[in-house]
């Protein structure tokens, strides 16, 4: 499968929505071609180099993104809204175009029903997400994880506040149960510190209030 490639400082997971601001000429052309052909493009984490300017070297595994909506600005720039679809592995890269193209192989995962791994992850992730949001003065009523293990693992991975390389490692792990297990480990490592930071934040907020007699 031939796929246009967009190297970014982000990791896209299947099912994750990703808004992008397109301003470089080469990527304007790429997006226009994708829209004309109703074709996806590949989002891949940059391994070396930068998003803007000279060419960047991407990791080998990324996610195909489908454009859901495009907004054209007066000066030619674009805002696009995309959603991740399928993992892929880059087999060969083509650098003859202004942007990268790649011959890619789609990576399949086995669909799986509700498992103990999902049950173990659900409660921990809900606690993690509520704590993470509370640190930013936000909140949520609850978390509804997909029943499919792969989709649940991707849902969690997309929302973990961890370094990009850790997210890339999760993207490259094709076993849903193994991915969920690693995510549970990461949450258990991060949650105690997050709770301490939240407690300190709440103390700071309440320390300025006195009791009126």
């Amino acid at each position: 499968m031939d796929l246009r490639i967009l190297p970014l400082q982000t990791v896209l997971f299947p099912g994750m929505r990703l808004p992008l601001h397109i301003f470089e000429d080469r990527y304007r052309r790429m997006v226009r071609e994708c829209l004309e052909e109703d074709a996806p493009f590949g989002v891949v984490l940059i391994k070396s180099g930068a998003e803007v300017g000279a060419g960047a070297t991407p990791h080998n595994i990324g996610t195909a993104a489908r454009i859901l909506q495009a907004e054209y600005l007066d000066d030619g720039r674009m805002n696009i809204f995309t959603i991740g679809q399928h993992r892929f592995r880059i087999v060969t890269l083509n650098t003859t175009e202004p942007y990268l193209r790649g011959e890619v192989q789609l990576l399949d995962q086995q669909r799986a029903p509700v498992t103990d791994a999902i049950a173990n992850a659900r409660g921990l992730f809900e606690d993690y997400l509520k704590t993470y949001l509370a640190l930013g003065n936000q909140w949520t009523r609850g978390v509804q994880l997909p029943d499919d293990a792969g989709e649940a693992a991707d849902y969690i991975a997309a929302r973990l506040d961890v370094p990009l390389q850790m997210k890339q490692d999760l993207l490259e792990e094709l076993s849903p149960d193994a991915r969920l297990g690693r995510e549970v480990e990461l949450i258990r490592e991060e949650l105690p510190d997050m709770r301490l930071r939240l407690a300190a934040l709440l103390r700071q907020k309440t320390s300025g209030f006195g009791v009126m007699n």
Side-chain angles (χ1 to χ4, degrees), residues 124 128 162-163 166 181-195 197:
L124 265 176
Y128 171 91
V162 296
M166 285 188 183
R182 179 56 181 143
E183 288 162 0
V184 165
E185 291 176 1
L186 288 171
I187 290 172
R188 284 177 173 159
E189 290 170 5
E190 296 293 325
L191 201 50
D193 179 66
M194 292 171 64
R195 287 171 175 158
R197 287 190 284 126

Side-chain angles (χ1 to χ4, degrees), residues 12-17 87 109 118 121-122 125-126 128-129 133 140 142-161 167 170-171 176 179-180 183 187:
L12 178 66
F13 288 88
M16 175 183 172
R17 293 178 183 264
R87 283 172 171 80
Q109 296 186 95
I118 294 179
R122 179 176 286 111
F125 177 64
E126 182 167 356
Y128 171 91
L129 186 60
L133 291 174
T140 183
V143 176
Q144 294 294 326
L145 285 183
D147 289 339
D148 177 80
E151 293 176 7
D154 287 342
Y155 183 95
I156 292 173
R159 290 158 178 82
L160 289 179
D161 184 26
K167 291 207 171 197
L170 291 172
L171 184 72
R179 204 155 66 247
L180 282 167
E183 288 162 0
I187 290 172

Side-chain angles (χ1 to χ4, degrees), residues 76-96:
R77 292 175 296 124
M78 287 179 276
N79 293 321
I80 62 173
F81 301 87
T82 73
I83 187 168
Q85 292 187 307
H86 304 290
R87 283 172 171 80
F88 64 82
R89 176 182 288 110
I90 297 173
V91 180
T92 58
L93 277 176
N94 181 343
T95 59
T96 59

